[in-house]
Amino acid sequence: DAAEDVGILHDHAARLVIDARDQPGVVGRALQAGQRIGDLVELGQRVERLPGMNRLGEEYRVDPARARAGQNAAEHAQPRSRMRLDPGEQLARAEIGEAQRVLDRIDGLLRIRYTTSHPNDMTDGLIAAHGDVEKLMPYLHLPVQSGSDRILAAMKRGYTSLEFKQKLRKLRAVRPDISISSDFIVGFPGETEEDFADTLSIVEEVGYAQAFSFKYSPRLGTPAAERTDQVSEDVKADRLERLQALLARQSLAFNQRSV
């Protein structure tokens, strides 16, 4: 049946990836395939906003031949019928934190991960789930981009550095061993040395297990690309080198602690 077919696939792939482009019901699909899943990865550009987090899932049927060949479930699975969940499992208006608690009750599901999160979407329910849900792995990728409030406002990120750090304090209060990764951009138009120092400061304060860092590059048609206060390539390269050196030291320290 469908559950068995999905199980065959993930005996090969060892991971279920759920993509927002083919995502009618993350919980429903997990319940359908649950007894054979080792890792469940909830994947989206802003994973808390996946439509499947807000309505019941659909039952999926996977071609056994394709499954045995290790091909992607999201590509080949076909919706069959609306799943009927027990009254206690209703998720029509559930947020992502509650979804993790439902997934946690699937006996065959060993580990739960999700990415990528956005600071504005980190609800108190999701933060609490990191403390309550044993299967939810102690890792979070939470992009901050900059430690400067002025630059964050220019990027239209919608939060301040303090608000970002408050989210992490709440997370570490419920899950002290959680490891954090992030994204950074240096040299955004108008970034001063003081702004960059704020970024180094937030890195020092938070302490990262891993991070992705880049120089800002203009994208045609965006307001930032039209600004006249572009940062020179030499300055961007210098700042990126200094940031990456700090992040590399933190990553090494994290790895050494994990041995």
Side-chain angles (χ1 to χ4, degrees):
D1 61 14
E4 190 68 17
D5 293 342
V6 173
I8 292 169
L9 169 65
H10 295 296
D11 283 346
H12 285 275
R15 186 176 298 271
L16 175 61
V17 177
I18 298 175
D19 194 303
R21 293 169 298 180
D22 183 28
Q23 215 295 325
V26 57
V27 174
R29 290 175 66 182
L31 288 170
Q32 177 64 19
Q35 293 186 350
R36 305 289 292 279
I37 298 174
D39 281 45
L40 175 68
V41 181
E42 303 156 51
L43 176 64
Q45 186 68 24
R46 289 180 70 165
V47 69
E48 297 93 342
R49 297 190 176 191
L50 288 182
M53 293 300 176
N54 299 310
R55 64 177 185 268
L56 297 175
E58 291 186 14
E59 184 178 346
Y60 267 67
R61 173 172 45 82
V62 176
D63 184 321
R66 287 172 171 163
R68 290 188 181 91
Q71 295 177 340
N72 188 289
E75 181 180 352
H76 299 296
Q78 300 297 320
R80 191 157 62 183
S81 63
R82 179 68 65 182
M83 286 189 66
R84 296 186 179 276
L85 305 183
D86 294 335
E89 307 279 35
Q90 297 301 312
L91 295 172
R93 289 176 295 278
E95 54 91 43
I96 186 172
E98 181 60 26
Q100 309 317 304
R101 292 181 173 84
V102 173
L103 293 170
D104 190 46
R105 296 197 289 271
I106 302 174
D107 289 340
L109 177 57
L110 302 181
R111 293 170 295 273
I112 305 168
R113 312 172 199 271
Y114 65 89
T115 194
T116 294
S117 192
H118 189 285
N120 289 341
D121 298 331
M122 286 294 299
T123 65
D124 287 342
L126 179 55
I127 290 172
H130 276 276
D132 300 338
V133 178
E134 183 177 351
K135 294 176 184 177
L136 188 56
M137 292 293 95
Y139 168 79
L140 176 66
H141 183 73
L142 194 64
V144 64
Q145 305 298 358
S146 174
S148 164
D149 289 345
R150 198 176 68 84
I151 296 300
L152 289 172
M155 291 178 169
K156 302 188 187 307
R157 292 292 292 174
Y159 54 84
T160 66
S161 60
L162 177 60
E163 289 167 339
F164 178 85
K165 289 183 287 187
Q166 286 173 335
K167 299 277 189 181
L168 294 186
R169 291 188 189 110
K170 289 182 178 181
L171 278 162
R172 284 174 165 158
V174 299
R175 191 66 192 262
D177 64 337
I178 195 167
S179 57
I180 306 296
S181 66
S182 198
D183 296 338
F184 294 91
I185 294 175
V186 301
F188 191 83
E191 183 187 69
T192 65
E193 188 62 26
E194 182 179 358
D195 293 321
F196 178 67
D198 288 339
T199 295
L200 295 179
S201 177
I202 201 171
V203 172
E204 291 276 15
E205 185 171 347
V206 170
Y208 287 96
Q210 180 187 359
F212 303 93
S213 52
F214 308 92
K215 295 185 293 183
Y216 166 80
S217 58
R219 181 177 296 179
L220 187 64
T222 61
E226 304 300 321
R227 290 180 53 163
T228 59
D229 53 353
Q230 302 291 325
V231 178
S232 73
E233 287 299 319
D234 287 346
V235 170
K236 286 191 286 188
D238 173 70
R239 289 176 183 169
L240 184 62
E241 182 178 356
R242 285 187 279 158
L243 173 61
Q244 290 182 339
L246 173 57
L247 291 168
R249 291 194 296 272
Q250 290 188 346
S251 181
L252 176 61
F254 171 80
N255 291 337
Q256 290 173 334
R257 291 193 302 270
S258 301
V259 172

